[in-house]
Amino acid sequence: MKELNKKEQLLIKHVEQLNEEEVLKLSDELLKEGMAPLRLLDLVNEGMNRVGKLYESKDYYIADLIMAGLIFKQVLELDKMTAHFRVKHNNKIGKVVLGTVTGDIHDIGKDIFRGMLEANCFEVVDLGVDVPKEVFLKKCEEYQPDILGLSGVLTNTVDTMKEIVDVFKETGVRDKVKIIVGGNHLTKEVCRFIGADNFANDASSGVRICKKWMDGINESERRVIDNG
C-alpha cells in the first residue's frame, strides 16, 4: 500500500478500533473529497486485517470480528459507494461462485471478499456457509463461473477443501474453473495439497489474484476474436 496521509491513517485506525461512527463519517468525507471508492475499500480492508490480527492474539473476540464486518458493510452502503457500483453494474469482468465450506459457519471473511469482488466489477454468486461439495459442483455447473472461491476459517477445512477439488477432478470439470481458497491458516504448501490454483489470507490479495486471472482470460478471448 502506498504512503498514507493523515486522514488515511486515521481511517485505518478507526476501523481497527471499531469506531463505527467515525469510520462512516471519515469515509464519507474522503469520498466527497474525491477519493476513489476502490482506494477507500483498500484502506478499510487494511483496518480489517488489523482487527483480524487482534483476534488472533486474543485481544479481540468473535463479537469484535462481527462488528468489524458490519462496519465494512455500512461503508459499502454509503451513497457514493452504491452510485459507483451502479455505474459499473453492466461492465462485469468475470463471475465467481463463492461459499464457506462444510463444517464452517464463519461468513465475515467471505462477506468482505464478496464485497470487494463486487466493487471490482465481478458478478458473485454467494452460496452462504456450511456448503457441501455437491452444492459447489452443482452450482458451478449451473452458473459456469470463471472462478470458484472456497472460504474456511477453521483448520479442519483444509481436508474439506481438498475433497471439493477432488470432486471437480473426478467429474471432469476441474479444468473449466480457477479455484482460489481463502483463510488465515492457508499457506503455499497447504494450497498445493488442496489442489487449488491459488490462495489468499486476506480479501485484498484474493481480489488481486482474481483480477489477474480475468485479465489473462479476457485477453485470450480477445485474441481468439481477433484471429477469427
Side-chain angles (χ1 to χ4, degrees), residues 33 38-39 62 65 82 88 92 98-99 117 123 135 218:
E33 290 175 357
L38 296 182
R39 172 61 177 167
I62 188 67
L65 282 182
T82 56
K88 296 286 186 178
K92 299 300 183 186
L98 175 66
L117 282 171
E123 177 184 351
V135 173
N218 291 333

Side-chain angles (χ1 to χ4, degrees), residues 67-84:
M67 182 63 192
L70 291 173
I71 291 173
F72 181 87
K73 289 178 181 178
Q74 289 185 71
V75 171
L76 288 176
E77 292 168 1
L78 290 171
D79 289 343
K80 285 190 174 292
M81 297 294 280
T82 56
H84 171 79

Side-chain angles (χ1 to χ4, degrees), residues 28 36-37 70 72 91 94 97 111 115 128 133 144 149 163 170 185 187 190 201 221 223:
D28 191 53
L70 291 173
F72 181 87
N91 301 311
V97 166
D111 287 350
K133 56 190 177 184
Q144 299 289 304
E163 288 175 8
E170 292 163 7
H185 58 296
T187 63
V190 171
N201 299 128
E221 290 178 349
R223 288 176 182 170

Side-chain angles (χ1 to χ4, degrees), residues 42-198:
D42 279 339
L43 295 172
V44 174
N45 189 63
E46 175 59 29
M48 298 290 293
N49 289 340
R50 295 184 184 185
V51 171
K53 289 175 182 176
L54 287 167
Y55 175 71
E56 290 173 11
S57 65
K58 301 191 187 309
D59 291 300
Y60 273 4
Y61 300 96
I62 188 67
D64 298 308
L65 282 182
I66 293 171
M67 182 63 192
L70 291 173
I71 291 173
F72 181 87
K73 289 178 181 178
Q74 289 185 71
V75 171
L76 288 176
E77 292 168 1
L78 290 171
D79 289 343
K80 285 190 174 292
M81 297 294 280
T82 56
H84 171 79
F85 298 152
R86 277 198 298 271
V87 170
K88 296 286 186 178
H89 182 73
N90 294 321
N91 301 311
K92 299 300 183 186
I93 65 172
K95 184 187 295 183
V96 181
V97 166
L98 175 66
T100 302
V101 303
T102 299
D104 197 332
I105 59 171
H106 295 87
D107 64 357
I108 299 166
K110 173 184 67 63
D111 287 350
I112 293 169
F113 183 46
R114 183 193 69 208
M116 294 194 72
L117 282 171
E118 291 174 339
N120 281 273
C121 303
F122 281 88
E123 177 184 351
V124 181
V125 179
D126 188 347
L127 304 181
V129 300
D130 197 22
V131 182
K133 56 190 177 184
E134 296 83 4
V135 173
F136 279 114
L137 182 61
K138 179 181 178 182
K139 293 302 180 181
C140 280
E141 290 174 341
E142 178 182 347
Y143 289 103
Q144 299 289 304
D146 303 290
I147 299 168
L148 170 63
L150 306 177
S151 176
V153 172
L154 305 175
T155 54
N156 62 6
T157 56
V158 169
D159 288 332
T160 307
M161 290 176 176
K162 184 179 188 308
E163 288 175 8
I164 294 168
V165 175
D166 287 346
V167 166
F168 275 68
K169 290 178 181 176
E170 292 163 7
T171 53
V173 296
R174 174 64 184 90
D175 294 335
K176 295 180 180 179
V177 64
K178 289 282 192 181
I179 298 179
I180 184 169
V181 291
N184 288 337
H185 58 296
L186 300 176
T187 63
K188 186 182 294 184
E189 291 73 24
V190 171
C191 179
R192 191 177 299 119
F193 168 77
I194 292 169
D197 295 294
N198 214 328

